[in-house]
Amino acid sequence: MTDSTPLSVAGVAALRAQGTPVPLGIAPATSSDMFKSAHCYTKPKAKRWDHILSLEAKSRKVSTLKGAAHYLKNPGIISLGGGLPSPEYFPIEQISAKFPTPPGFSPEETRESGTVMTASKGDVKNGNSIYGVMWVMGADWCWADLEVALNYGQSTGAPQLLRFVTEHTEVNLLVHCHGHGHGLMAQIIHNPPYADWHCCLNAGSTYGWDTALRLLTERGDYILMEEYTFSSAAETALPLGVKLASIKMDEQGLLPESMDEVLSNWDEAARGARKPYVLYTIATGQNPTGATQSGERRRAIYKVAQKHDVYIVEDEPYYFLQMQPYTGADGTTPPPPASHDEFIKSLIPSYLSMDVDGRVLRLESFSKVVTPGSRVGWAVGCEQIIERFMRNSEVSSQHPSGIAQIILFKLLDEHWGHAGYLDWLINMRMQYTDRRNMLVGACEKSLPTEIAHWVAPAAGMFHWIEVDWQKHPGLASGKTRDAIEEEIFQAAIQNGVLVSRGSWFTADKNTPEEKMFFRATFAAASADQIEEAIKRFGDALRLQFGLA
Amino acid sequence: MTDSTPLSVAGVAALRAQGTPVPLGIAPATSSDMFKSAHCYTKPKAKRWDHILSLEAKSRKVSTLKGAAHYLKNPGIISLGGGLPSPEYFPIEQISAKFPTPPGFSPEETRESGTVMTASKGDVKNGNSIYGVMWVMGADWCWADLEVALNYGQSTGAPQLLRFVTEHTEVNLLVHCHGHGHGLMAQIIHNPPYADWHCCLNAGSTYGWDTALRLLTERGDYILMEEYTFSSAAETALPLGVKLASIKMDEQGLLPESMDEVLSNWDEAARGARKPYVLYTIATGQNPTGATQSGERRRAIYKVAQKHDVYIVEDEPYYFLQMQPYTGADGTTPPPPASHDEFIKSLIPSYLSMDVDGRVLRLESFSKVVTPGSRVGWAVGCEQIIERFMRNSEVSSQHPSGIAQIILFKLLDEHWGHAGYLDWLINMRMQYTDRRNMLVGACEKSLPTEIAHWVAPAAGMFHWIEVDWQKHPGLASGKTRDAIEEEIFQAAIQNGVLVSRGSWFTADKNTPEEKMFFRATFAAASADQIEEAIKRFGDALRLQFGLA
């Protein structure tokens, strides 16, 4: 592979064959650099971010004991150094899991024709797996995959899984450039982000965001957030003394003009804080509004970020829940993407894919597309920031569970590979399209359109329903907007349906809301339940608003 | 069971039969209160700790979305509220693991006669497991154990595993009271800690300590630490701006007199910080010194903590690596404890077991006795502190990996039960006794006793070897103590053995060390390797000191 060829799914095998082998043994040092294609190094390096690192981040040093591990490279050395337990004392001899085999992705098909993958203590010795890779130390030390997974690891995560997510990131990144419509292959190659991006596995994106806040902010700082945002993301920031500056949204989410205005007119004295330099955004299928920023919108926001030197944290759990276009209650869903290439081209480019400066930290998650119970996610960003992430994990979560990592590795890499994973993601796209259609169809059928309005979401799990509270009869008897929202919420519960109140999600709790929203998710309930639940919500609204 | 009966292993079945059932469904709210015996509530409550909570801890509120979950209790309600994915989209149909069956604990026996336990999506529906427990919502929702494990959970951890560790904590706590030698049963029952203790699972004790620091300290504070301490624990504190006040040690570890002296003479102006109110201690098999505090020593330290109102964090990964007495290179190891009761009585009482005030946070770990790769640990402390821990996890790690939790549950609860786990811990005790004996025996055989001294450790993984650096010939030519330590360390590496330098572990880096130590672990290397490694270290020492 020459250095001018961007990585494709088909190219992964060749890259692996000629690239760095997965490193050896228990808790070896790894980095994405081992797994990136030569193409990446044709790009310029990221900017430096020293000026936004917190005092905590700046003062954290390399772990003394991890630093000593490099002496283990000496041939024949016997280590009485690190306190890693001997694998013979791990009382788990073997772990097996049954996975769907593409294209039979349903639970029924999996039960019938799924594939059982096994990790055991003897695998590597017996040549069955690459997870642990033989590591001869002295005469008789060697490690099998489960032995490695059950021991301590590095805070980058297991090398085998890190390789998978690094490749996954690179493939998508480059194909995104296609999607920009810049045309020629040559332009694609020379219009990329930057050279020194890295991935680091973590204990889930909630942990990733907590870490980002601790590394990038000080008590008293403001960060920029969508005016309606994931309440837990806001609640992560607030106890750290970080305040939220709210940016206006439209149906595509974050408004670049509003962001520019907030930053251009920032009054340090009035706010009692320096100008914000971190933006938190959920660009795709935003929680709670379901809004998805178009590629054009993202480029406009990126420009504003450059203008004001803002660092962007894109939290993208719903990225692969981009759905087929909504064609109305009686419309026909367009057929699924015909190829991996078509699928990847259909995805809106990420901030990361347009990040010439290295000013984007992308929080990636398996929670919405594989399983939240794994508590394995990863972050992608420039080497400087990712290195600080690792240093933080070393003295905190250490690394995601080795048991969860080896099961994900067995599924994603050994069983599915990149092609099978893309098949799965296409399957998820179609499943969520059906669910979205059911919910939006139910709304069209059962909600009173005199007072309820919505836009069918293009991605994610959430449907955002606006209610004309100004038409509520309680207004005449002096009820406040907030009281009316609470009344509608309780009326829905009385009628047997739980939806989320829009006000739970406001970033700025001090400015009164003009509008009123309720959030409904189509992620979990069955088709029948969705239909029934929306009917109940519609009935509650009619009763509340005195409609026939 | 009456409320005056302390819980025993044998009593767990009766407690479960009459107690609260494991709560239902996905991510149900749980607490240790559901699983404690009535005996616990005969005790007084813990003191309040508002005065030591950090600003961050004090300002963290209950998660808005988790708070909404209580509406789900309404019968027949359909939730379009929370964004939990539907289990049909988790591409893992079944997970199995092969575990040792007591008493056949060796890898060989496990391969031959181990037991395979399985968790699958259909288990609960089919009555095979309690993990998920049937949860009927509307007409057709019910959850199987793997479906629950693969979804989001509460930050207390899975109820089924929380129940196990709560029972484990209570059994040991009460039997510790036996061990105090207070005699009569009546005294045991009326001489316990306090009523409102709780357990909370976490993403490993490293994470637990990081959380404790964030909840209990502010930038600029000092905490108390052993003069030699686990370097990573110190390195967790330093970037938070927390400084380390070093307490002197002897062969039993932490000296209460030194702690009292440091606190009694604390000079706020000179130190530029308020008097410390948090002690971090590894009471058993301390890392790096291998020292184990006796019960008497712990009681003395607890008294000093009471005198100065210090909160104690006891980090106890090596607690169950308390070994048989060392009887010399040619001695015979005493036979293993003949019963669970004898085993538990042989253990030194924990700080938690003597904690009348609720001033102890105990960090518990599976890393050294089951597997570090699970990244599942737990903390025990008073309700007020544990509640703040949970609130922190909700917006950080969320909870330990559900995949790791269900595998531990299958092993510890469904397969072994408390009795089998104690059998395993007795097995670990004997295994580590053998390893310790090998290393200490090798030292007796191969180290130059003219300049090398040690005490056989009674617990843990570490052997602490003092070297008389004052006898080093380099001193005459003007070499410093630090240069001599580095030279010995490098000479050992040149000779093919890695040991850890004692100076890596000093809490106070500003005060020059008087002595010189090296740490060797007997956790990982094989018998042959240990013998060879110590021979190499001995040869390096002889060469360095010009001994024959």
Side-chain angles (χ1 to χ4, degrees):
Chain A
M1 196 177 296
T2 70
D3 65 2
S4 60
T5 312
L7 186 63
S8 66
V9 169
V12 167
L15 175 67
R16 288 188 177 191
Q18 67 167 35
T20 314
V22 172
L24 311 176
I26 290 181
T30 333
S31 92
S32 289
D33 272 346
M34 294 179 176
F35 311 123
K36 286 154 69 180
S37 77
H39 171 75
C40 298
Y41 303 99
T42 62
K43 308 166 194 173
K45 282 201 160 193
K47 293 193 173 197
R48 296 291 298 173
W49 299 99
D50 306 72
H51 58 293
I52 65 166
L53 289 176
S54 67
L55 188 52
E56 173 184 330
K58 274 189 286 216
S59 54
R60 190 173 281 117
K61 294 182 182 147
V62 176
S63 153
T64 304
L65 293 176
K66 304 254 176 200
H70 78 264
Y71 294 112
L72 294 176
K73 288 180 194 155
N74 292 26
I77 199 165
I78 304 175
S79 175
L80 304 179
L84 300 181
S86 176
E88 66 192 285
Y89 303 138
F90 302 152
I92 304 174
E93 181 59 30
Q94 196 170 76
I95 296 179
S96 303
K98 190 171 190 178
F99 304 127
T101 302
F105 285 128
S106 72
E108 297 72 31
E109 288 168 303
T110 307
R111 276 194 291 277
E112 275 164 34
S113 65
T115 303
V116 175
M117 305 285 291
T118 297
S120 75
K121 285 192 179 175
D123 280 351
V124 176
K125 223 175 320 193
N126 306 331
N128 294 336
S129 176
I130 60 148
Y131 203 83
V133 185
M134 186 94 72
W135 187 34
V136 180
M137 258 187 72
D140 59 349
W141 283 34
C142 61
W143 303 103
D145 57 356
L146 193 57
E147 294 181 13
V148 170
L150 294 176
N151 218 320
Y152 288 105
Q154 295 284 344
S155 57
T156 36
Q160 297 78 4
L161 193 58
L162 181 70
R163 180 172 74 171
F164 183 87
V165 302
T166 300
E167 291 163 352
H168 175 81
T169 302
E170 191 180 340
V171 168
N172 283 307
L173 267 176
L174 288 164
V175 184
H176 289 162
C177 300
H178 277 277
H180 286 193
H182 289 291
L184 292 178
M185 195 69 174
Q187 276 181 300
I188 290 159
I189 291 162
H190 296 104
N191 184 26
Y194 59 100
D196 52 338
W197 59 269
H198 278 239
C199 301
C200 179
L201 291 159
N202 63 33
S205 272
T206 309
Y207 179 74
W209 172 232
D210 180 41
T211 304
L213 283 164
R214 296 185 189 277
L215 297 187
L216 300 176
T217 64
E218 302 287 358
R219 187 165 280 277
D221 282 339
Y222 273 84
I223 58 171
L224 303 168
M225 279 189 144
E226 282 124 353
E227 68 180 314
Y228 291 98
T229 189
F230 178 39
S231 54
S232 293
E235 289 162 358
T236 306
L238 295 170
L240 308 185
V242 172
K243 290 171 231 163
L244 314 176
S246 160
I247 308 293
K248 296 262 177 236
M249 308 169 77
D250 67 5
E251 287 166 14
Q252 276 194 32
L254 205 61
L255 280 164
E257 302 78 14
S258 169
M259 178 169 156
D260 188 33
E261 192 201 331
V262 166
L263 290 166
S264 297
N265 300 324
W266 192 264
D267 182 339
E268 286 208 2
R271 295 274 197 166
R274 58 181 164 167
K275 190 170 145 179
Y277 53 89
V278 172
L279 165 69
Y280 172 87
T281 182
I282 306 167
T284 313
Q286 202 249 3
N287 186 356
T289 66
T292 297
Q293 299 165 12
S294 68
E296 197 179 348
R297 174 67 61 92
R298 294 177 200 210
R299 280 187 287 276
I301 290 166
Y302 191 84
K303 266 190 195 156
V304 177
Q306 286 183 307
K307 175 179 169 190
H308 296 281
D309 201 19
V310 165
Y311 190 83
I312 299 171
V313 178
E314 61 167 344
D315 187 7
E316 282 289 64
Y318 313 108
Y319 186 73
F320 284 111
L321 299 185
Q322 294 180 50
M323 295 172 288
Q324 301 291 86
Y326 184 67
T327 49
D330 303 319
T332 311
T333 300
S339 66
H340 294 155
D341 197 42
E342 195 182 301
F343 169 59
I344 297 178
K345 279 183 191 170
S346 78
L347 300 170
I348 297 174
S350 66
Y351 281 104
L352 190 63
S353 76
M354 56 188 71
D355 182 21
V356 290
D357 301 332
R359 67 171 66 251
V360 173
L361 182 74
R362 184 172 169 88
L363 299 178
E364 296 267 18
S365 173
F366 288 121
S367 290
K368 304 304 194 282
V369 291
V370 181
T371 156
S374 71
R375 293 290 82 213
V376 179
W378 76 99
V380 193
C382 68
E383 185 173 19
Q384 182 182 19
I385 301 290
I386 294 294
E387 191 269 345
R388 292 288 91 189
F389 253 73
M390 278 176 52
R391 292 283 96 77
N392 180 77
S393 293
E394 275 174 7
V395 290
S396 177
S397 65
Q398 294 221 30
H399 51 79
S401 168
I403 295 173
Q405 288 189 82
I406 199 167
I407 285 183
L408 287 176
F409 166 75
K410 289 273 165 190
L411 170 65
L412 297 172
D413 194 290
E414 279 199 356
H415 179 42
W416 281 351
H418 289 286
Y421 186 43
L422 292 177
D423 287 339
W424 170 258
L425 294 173
I426 293 170
N427 168 59
M428 292 296 279
R429 178 187 183 95
M430 301 311 290
Q431 296 284 342
Y432 274 83
T433 298
D434 283 351
R435 287 182 161 273
R436 187 264 327 262
N437 291 354
M438 281 189 284
L439 184 69
V440 177
C443 289
E444 290 173 10
K445 189 170 152 193
S446 303
L447 293 194
T449 49
E450 304 93 307
I451 52 112
H453 317 287
W454 59 85
V455 177
M461 297 182 156
F462 301 111
H463 186 46
W464 190 235
I465 300 163
E466 184 178 354
V467 170
D468 282 346
W469 65 276
Q470 308 268 13
K471 295 183 184 160
H472 193 277
L475 207 64
S477 59
K479 282 183 185 155
T480 64
R481 183 211 158 284
D482 291 0
I484 291 170
E485 185 185 328
E486 173 69 14
E487 209 172 90
I488 295 171
F489 174 70
Q490 293 294 349
I493 289 171
Q494 284 302 313
N495 219 29
V497 56
L498 177 67
V499 294
S500 298
R501 288 176 58 170
S503 60
W504 289 345
F505 302 96
T506 51
D508 177 358
K509 301 288 181 203
N510 299 319
T511 309
E513 276 180 278
E514 289 170 19
K515 297 185 174 181
M516 184 182 296
F517 297 95
F518 292 89
R519 189 194 78 172
T521 175
F522 42 92
S526 68
D528 288 354
Q529 285 184 316
I530 286 177
E531 173 116 16
E532 172 63 21
I534 292 295
K535 191 179 163 299
R536 292 179 185 178
F537 185 52
D539 290 344
L541 284 176
R542 279 195 188 81
L543 203 66
Q544 276 286 308
F545 282 83
L547 300 170
Chain B
M1 193 179 298
T2 70
D3 66 1
S4 59
T5 313
L7 187 65
S8 66
V9 169
V12 167
L15 176 67
R16 288 188 177 190
Q18 66 167 35
T20 314
V22 172
L24 311 176
I26 288 181
T30 333
S31 93
S32 289
D33 273 345
M34 293 179 177
F35 310 124
K36 286 153 71 180
S37 75
H39 171 75
C40 297
Y41 303 99
T42 61
K43 308 166 194 174
K45 282 200 160 195
K47 293 192 172 196
R48 297 290 300 174
W49 299 99
D50 306 73
H51 59 292
I52 65 167
L53 290 176
S54 67
L55 188 53
E56 173 184 330
K58 274 189 288 216
S59 53
R60 190 172 281 115
K61 295 183 182 146
V62 176
S63 153
T64 302
L65 294 176
K66 304 252 177 202
H70 77 265
Y71 293 112
L72 294 176
K73 289 180 193 155
N74 292 26
I77 199 165
I78 303 175
S79 175
L80 304 179
L84 301 181
S86 175
E88 65 191 285
Y89 303 138
F90 302 151
I92 305 174
E93 181 60 30
Q94 195 169 75
I95 296 179
S96 303
K98 190 171 190 179
F99 304 127
T101 302
F105 286 127
S106 73
E108 298 71 32
E109 288 168 302
T110 306
R111 278 194 290 277
E112 276 164 34
S113 65
T115 303
V116 175
M117 305 286 290
T118 298
S120 76
K121 284 193 180 175
D123 279 352
V124 177
K125 221 176 320 192
N126 305 331
N128 295 334
S129 176
I130 60 149
Y131 203 82
V133 185
M134 186 93 74
W135 188 34
V136 181
M137 258 188 73
D140 60 349
W141 283 34
C142 62
W143 304 102
D145 57 356
L146 193 57
E147 294 181 14
V148 170
L150 294 176
N151 218 321
Y152 288 105
Q154 295 284 344
S155 56
T156 35
Q160 297 78 3
L161 193 58
L162 182 70
R163 180 172 74 170
F164 184 87
V165 302
T166 300
E167 291 162 353
H168 175 82
T169 301
E170 191 180 341
V171 168
N172 284 307
L173 267 176
L174 288 163
V175 185
H176 289 162
C177 301
H178 277 279
H180 285 190
H182 289 291
L184 291 177
M185 195 67 175
Q187 277 182 302
I188 291 159
I189 292 163
H190 296 105
N191 184 25
Y194 58 99
D196 51 338
W197 60 269
H198 278 240
C199 301
C200 179
L201 291 160
N202 63 33
S205 272
T206 309
Y207 179 74
W209 172 232
D210 180 41
T211 304
L213 282 164
R214 296 188 190 276
L215 298 188
L216 300 176
T217 64
E218 303 286 359
R219 186 165 280 277
D221 282 338
Y222 274 83
I223 58 171
L224 304 167
M225 278 190 145
E226 282 123 353
E227 68 180 315
Y228 291 98
T229 189
F230 179 39
S231 54
S232 294
E235 289 162 358
T236 307
L238 294 170
L240 309 186
V242 172
K243 291 171 231 162
L244 313 176
S246 160
I247 309 293
K248 296 264 177 233
M249 307 170 78
D250 66 5
E251 286 165 15
Q252 275 194 31
L254 205 61
L255 281 164
E257 301 78 15
S258 170
M259 180 169 154
D260 187 34
E261 192 201 329
V262 166
L263 290 166
S264 297
N265 300 324
W266 192 263
D267 182 338
E268 285 207 3
R271 296 274 197 165
R274 59 181 163 167
K275 190 170 146 180
Y277 54 89
V278 172
L279 165 69
Y280 172 87
T281 182
I282 305 167
T284 313
Q286 202 249 3
N287 186 356
T289 66
T292 297
Q293 300 165 12
S294 66
E296 196 179 349
R297 175 66 61 92
R298 294 178 200 210
R299 281 187 287 277
I301 289 165
Y302 191 84
K303 266 189 196 154
V304 177
Q306 286 183 306
K307 176 180 168 187
H308 295 282
D309 201 19
V310 165
Y311 189 83
I312 300 170
V313 180
E314 62 168 343
D315 188 9
E316 281 289 65
Y318 314 108
Y319 187 72
F320 285 112
L321 300 185
Q322 294 181 48
M323 296 172 287
Q324 302 291 87
Y326 184 67
T327 50
D330 303 319
T332 310
T333 301
S339 66
H340 295 155
D341 196 42
E342 196 181 302
F343 170 57
I344 296 177
K345 280 184 191 169
S346 79
L347 300 170
I348 296 175
S350 65
Y351 281 105
L352 190 62
S353 75
M354 56 187 72
D355 182 20
V356 291
D357 301 332
R359 67 171 67 250
V360 173
L361 182 74
R362 184 173 170 86
L363 299 177
E364 295 268 17
S365 173
F366 289 121
S367 290
K368 303 305 194 281
V369 291
V370 180
T371 157
S374 71
R375 293 291 83 214
V376 179
W378 76 100
V380 192
C382 69
E383 185 172 18
Q384 183 182 17
I385 301 291
I386 294 294
E387 191 270 345
R388 292 288 90 190
F389 253 72
M390 278 175 51
R391 291 283 95 78
N392 181 76
S393 292
E394 274 174 7
V395 290
S396 177
S397 65
Q398 295 221 28
H399 52 79
S401 167
I403 296 173
Q405 288 190 82
I406 198 167
I407 286 184
L408 288 176
F409 166 75
K410 290 273 164 189
L411 170 65
L412 297 172
D413 194 291
E414 278 199 356
H415 180 42
W416 281 350
H418 289 285
Y421 186 42
L422 292 177
D423 286 340
W424 170 258
L425 295 172
I426 293 170
N427 168 59
M428 293 295 279
R429 178 186 183 95
M430 300 311 290
Q431 296 285 341
Y432 273 82
T433 299
D434 282 353
R435 289 183 161 272
R436 186 264 327 264
N437 292 354
M438 280 189 283
L439 184 69
V440 176
C443 289
E444 290 174 10
K445 189 171 153 193
S446 303
L447 294 194
T449 49
E450 306 94 305
I451 52 111
H453 318 288
W454 59 85
V455 176
M461 297 182 154
F462 301 111
H463 187 46
W464 190 235
I465 301 164
E466 183 177 355
V467 170
D468 282 346
W469 66 274
Q470 309 267 13
K471 295 181 184 161
H472 193 278
L475 207 63
S477 60
K479 282 183 185 153
T480 63
R481 183 211 157 284
D482 291 0
I484 291 170
E485 185 184 326
E486 173 70 13
E487 208 172 271
I488 295 172
F489 173 70
Q490 292 294 349
I493 288 171
Q494 284 302 312
N495 220 27
V497 57
L498 178 66
V499 293
S500 298
R501 288 177 58 171
S503 60
W504 290 344
F505 302 96
T506 51
D508 176 358
K509 301 287 181 203
N510 299 318
T511 309
E513 276 180 278
E514 289 170 19
K515 298 184 175 181
M516 183 182 296
F517 296 96
F518 292 89
R519 189 194 77 171
T521 175
F522 42 91
S526 67
D528 287 355
Q529 285 184 316
I530 286 177
E531 173 117 14
E532 173 63 19
I534 292 295
K535 190 177 163 302
R536 292 179 185 179
F537 185 53
D539 290 346
L541 285 176
R542 280 195 187 80
L543 203 67
Q544 276 285 308
F545 283 83
L547 300 170

